[in-house]
Amino acid sequence: MLDRYKQIKDQFLLQIEALDEFCRMRQSTATAENLKEVRVKLAENRFHLVVLGQFKRGKSTFINSILGDKVLPTSVVPLTSIVTLLKYGDKEQIEVIFNDQSTRPITRDELPEYVTEKGNPKNQKNVKQVEIAFPSQYLKDGVYLIDTPGVGSTFENNTEMTYNFLPKVDAALFLLAVDPPISHSELAFLNDVQNFVQKIFFIQNKIDYLSDEERQESTEFSKRVIEEALGRDSVQIYPLSAKLALEGKI
């Protein structure tokens, strides 16, 4: 199986090289840049596990709960404005990558100045993405856990940045909330996501907000609506409270 995988990967890399040469001849710099990213991703055996959802669904808190530490900034207002990639590292290191390919190492305290709408309104600092190396066992073996800006807020640039990242997603964790349950705008976004991503896992966050009976009603409603929208028969939704999970780990 591994030999077959290596053979397919090598063939795919050769095809990417040929496409890259063609794009440069046509001066398609944007496509060439995307191909370069795909080539690096394959060569390094990266797997992009991306957290998606509408704004204020608790995506950053959810990622922090997995890491067991308050690595990503959180807030009661729409916050995340930049795609943030978390990968394994023996010690915590944070690097800002700008659109001109220059980089800058920063501390965790400086992170909100680059990845939040308040610290970097409308991405005035021209940040392409932020990469964080962190010593979590969940990030070993090439797994990249990726935080994305929430869609549907008043900040259109945040929605655009998330949509631009969809072609790079290998599997998605789609976050919902119990109150309010899934909305029409979330269903529209979900339909767009499934055009790029085959593996989508549904997580209903903030279950601590409701009673057991209310939570069950909210989950069943979201499950029924998602199955109807996607034409599926067996959508599974995983309920949790990212806030309580993070507090418990800390």
Side-chain angles (χ1 to χ4, degrees):
M1 181 69 73
L2 288 176
D3 290 341
R4 177 61 176 159
Y5 166 73
K6 185 179 183 304
Q7 182 183 7
I8 294 173
K9 186 177 78 170
D10 289 343
Q11 291 173 353
F12 195 38
L13 285 170
L14 288 174
Q15 292 172 350
I16 290 175
E17 292 286 351
L19 280 171
D20 180 62
E21 184 177 348
F22 175 76
C23 289
R24 295 187 184 281
M25 288 175 56
R26 296 290 300 270
Q27 297 184 340
S28 302
T29 55
T31 304
E33 182 63 29
N34 286 334
L35 287 170
K36 178 183 177 182
E37 292 183 10
V38 172
R39 185 168 61 247
V40 171
K41 182 170 175 283
L42 276 172
E44 296 180 356
N45 286 322
R46 292 186 188 179
F47 184 85
H48 285 176
L49 181 59
V50 183
V51 182
L52 299 169
Q54 197 172 36
F55 71 101
K56 300 316 301 168
R57 289 303 189 244
K59 295 184 295 297
S60 298
T61 301
F62 170 70
I63 291 176
N64 285 341
S65 72
I66 292 176
L67 302 177
D69 199 352
K70 295 180 179 179
V71 179
L72 301 177
T74 59
S75 175
V76 296
V77 298
L79 188 72
T80 304
S81 62
I82 300 296
V83 172
T84 304
L85 293 82
L86 293 108
K87 60 184 180 180
Y88 182 80
D90 293 330
K91 62 180 181 178
E92 182 177 320
Q93 292 181 317
I94 304 176
E95 184 176 60
V96 180
I97 302 172
F98 296 94
N99 287 325
D100 64 1
Q101 301 305 316
S102 62
T103 61
R104 178 182 177 185
I106 62 171
T107 65
R108 188 188 298 190
D109 290 339
E110 294 176 294
L111 189 57
E113 299 176 19
Y114 295 91
V115 302
T116 69
E117 192 61 41
K118 181 179 179 181
N120 183 18
K122 297 182 179 179
N123 196 19
Q124 293 177 350
K125 296 177 182 177
N126 292 314
V127 177
K128 179 182 179 182
Q129 62 191 37
V130 172
E131 293 191 3
I132 302 176
F134 191 80
S136 169
Q137 295 300 311
Y138 292 108
L139 302 177
K140 281 197 168 182
D141 301 322
V143 173
Y144 277 57
L145 187 58
I146 300 170
D147 192 20
T148 58
V151 302
S153 74
T154 56
F155 306 113
E156 293 182 4
N157 57 298
N158 294 355
T159 297
E160 181 182 0
M161 188 160 289
T162 296
Y163 267 87
N164 289 341
F165 198 81
L166 288 181
K168 306 173 186 177
V169 177
D170 293 312
L173 300 171
F174 197 96
L175 253 68
L176 312 167
V178 292
D179 185 22
I182 190 165
S183 64
H184 182 269
S185 60
E186 282 177 293
L187 287 175
F189 177 49
L190 181 56
N191 272 302
D192 292 334
V193 170
Q194 73 168 349
N195 291 328
F196 295 92
V197 188
Q198 290 188 343
K199 290 290 185 179
I200 306 175
F201 301 91
F202 297 97
I203 298 171
Q204 193 146 27
N205 191 20
K206 305 184 181 182
I207 62 173
D208 53 305
Y209 285 22
L210 303 179
S211 67
D212 290 344
E213 183 178 349
E214 292 169 331
R215 183 168 66 242
Q216 182 69 22
E217 182 181 2
S218 177
T219 302
E220 289 177 355
F221 173 82
S222 294
K223 172 180 170 64
R224 183 174 68 255
V225 170
I226 292 172
E227 287 176 345
E228 290 176 356
L230 300 185
R232 300 184 185 181
D233 297 326
S234 57
V235 167
Q236 185 170 0
I237 298 178
Y238 301 90
L240 63 80
S241 167
K243 177 184 176 183
L244 295 182
L246 176 59
E247 291 176 357
K249 281 196 174 182
I250 292 178

